Amino acid sequence: MKDKKDRASFILKYSLIAMAFTHTLAHVLQRIHLALFPIIRTEFNLTLQQLGIIAAIPPLCQAILYIPMGIFTDRFGSRKMIIISLFVTTLGTLIASLTLDPLMLILAISLIYINVTMYHPASYSFTTRLFRIKDRPKALGIHGAGGTFGLAIGPISVSILMGVFAFRWRQIYSFWFLPLLLGLVAIVLIRPETTEYVREEKNSKGETKGNDSLFTRNLTIFLIFVAFRMMAWQMINAFLPIYLVDMKGLNEVLSSLIYGSNTLMGIVAAPIGGFLASKFGVKKWLMTAFSLAYISFGLALISPELLVFVTFYILYGFFNFLGMAANAAIMAKLAPSQRRGLGYSLFFLPGSIMGAVAPIIAAQIGEAFGLITIFKVAFAIYVVCLIILKGGVKF
């Protein structure tokens, strides 16, 4: 009975709920433009390579700013950085709702991505300080569920608002103004920075006791693993909506729904993965979850029937997000608590770099060899990721 009460208290902790909610808002606008690519391509008469550039520039802005934002987080505090990030995404949303040409759209999306750059180091650093080491994967799982819900509900909102309420694509961005204001209020009500569990962490076996160095062999190999994984993920992410329209014969509304449903699995999978990572160990669980994810993606690629393809594609998302909390918890193990803002900046930096590079590479592969080849190359990269994680990251 006591365990059940403790678990309920853990899940209902206001600060964790607020962080999960703002994590949703940080990501909700991030993939809307990708879901809208078939419409944007037609309206502005764009090629695949031009779409690849639009997809690449915002992550490039992230890559440039991630390390400064991590340093600012360690210096000025997490809550302040989260508040600033929400202001930045509100500005980006306003510009997107008024877009007149592709350059204006790129500016808007870049601001939305810069918001994520500010938010991630601050929110992950803050969340790891709120809970004991043994509860950290659980907390990161719930926090991560908020982010995956945002990534999912963005494309799904495209499907609902355009398909049911006849919104134009610019009006979809306007729809999110009020939730962003509520997010600002939620952050203001969170208590100031806490160091309640920092002493426990420093004295805990397997953490960073007696070692304040951030740059270690383990961290370097782990970041290489993250970089390869994010390259494959970004290649798939940028062009799947177009693949569903051009190769599977779906309309833009239905493709957005399927695209978002993959990520929607994270709402359930991320918290479950956090609890399982706490039970079985973060690396062991990460290997298991990602192996199942990549097998599912491979089966989707060889499935000729649309329903089978969609089933395995959604399973790919479910298993991917089962590993989300373990992935973030490994970073917490490898980074000293006093430098965790910078540590999480490094953790998310490869994703931004690959987000800038991967869509352009994928566009060239797609135009030269066909869209399906993009996903075959991504699958091969995923296999390399598992080898790096298994043999290279040790603790």
Side-chain angles (χ1 to χ4, degrees), residues 49 75 83 182 198 265 316:
Q49 287 189 339
R75 182 171 181 180
I83 290 172
L182 293 175
V198 171
M265 295 295 100
Y316 156 70

Side-chain angles (χ1 to χ4, degrees), residues 28-106:
V28 73
L29 298 160
Q30 193 176 1
R31 297 204 304 169
I32 284 179
H33 68 290
L34 298 176
L36 291 169
F37 262 6
I39 297 172
I40 292 170
R41 176 180 59 173
T42 301
E43 179 170 331
F44 295 123
N45 193 26
L46 301 174
T47 66
L48 276 182
Q49 287 189 339
Q50 288 171 326
L51 289 173
I53 291 171
I54 293 174
I57 290 177
L60 179 61
C61 295
Q62 281 188 310
I64 294 170
L65 293 175
Y66 250 127
I67 290 179
M69 291 305 139
I71 294 172
F72 291 162
T73 294
D74 290 334
R75 182 171 181 180
F76 299 115
S78 301
R79 191 168 63 160
K80 292 179 183 177
M81 294 300 295
I82 294 171
I83 290 172
I84 294 171
S85 79
L86 290 172
F87 275 117
V88 170
T89 197
T90 301
L91 177 60
T93 303
L94 175 62
I95 295 173
S97 69
L98 301 172
T99 294
L100 299 175
D101 54 51
L103 290 178
M104 198 171 176
L105 180 63
I106 289 171

Side-chain angles (χ1 to χ4, degrees), residues 375-389:
F375 309 118
K376 292 178 179 178
V377 172
F379 177 77
I381 295 172
Y382 273 148
V383 173
V384 173
C385 288
L386 291 176
I387 295 171
I388 294 172
L389 177 63

Side-chain angles (χ1 to χ4, degrees), residues 219-299:
L219 178 64
T220 301
I221 295 175
F222 181 64
L223 292 178
I224 292 172
F225 155 75
V226 172
F228 275 93
R229 175 177 172 266
M230 291 309 299
M231 181 176 184
W233 189 84
Q234 294 283 8
M235 291 174 70
I236 296 165
N237 203 41
F239 290 101
L240 192 80
I242 289 179
Y243 174 76
L244 291 173
V245 171
D246 289 0
M247 305 299 294
K248 295 297 184 181
L250 302 180
N251 60 38
E252 290 83 356
V253 172
L254 189 54
S255 71
S256 294
L257 184 63
I258 294 170
Y259 184 55
S261 296
N262 169 282
T263 313
L264 195 63
M265 295 295 100
I267 301 170
V268 176
I272 292 174
F275 280 86
L276 292 173
S278 293
K279 181 176 182 180
F280 296 111
V282 289
K283 181 181 175 181
K284 181 178 180 181
W285 180 247
L286 189 62
M287 282 293 304
T288 301
F290 281 176
S291 295
L292 291 171
Y294 304 155
I295 289 170
S296 297
F297 182 70
L299 291 172

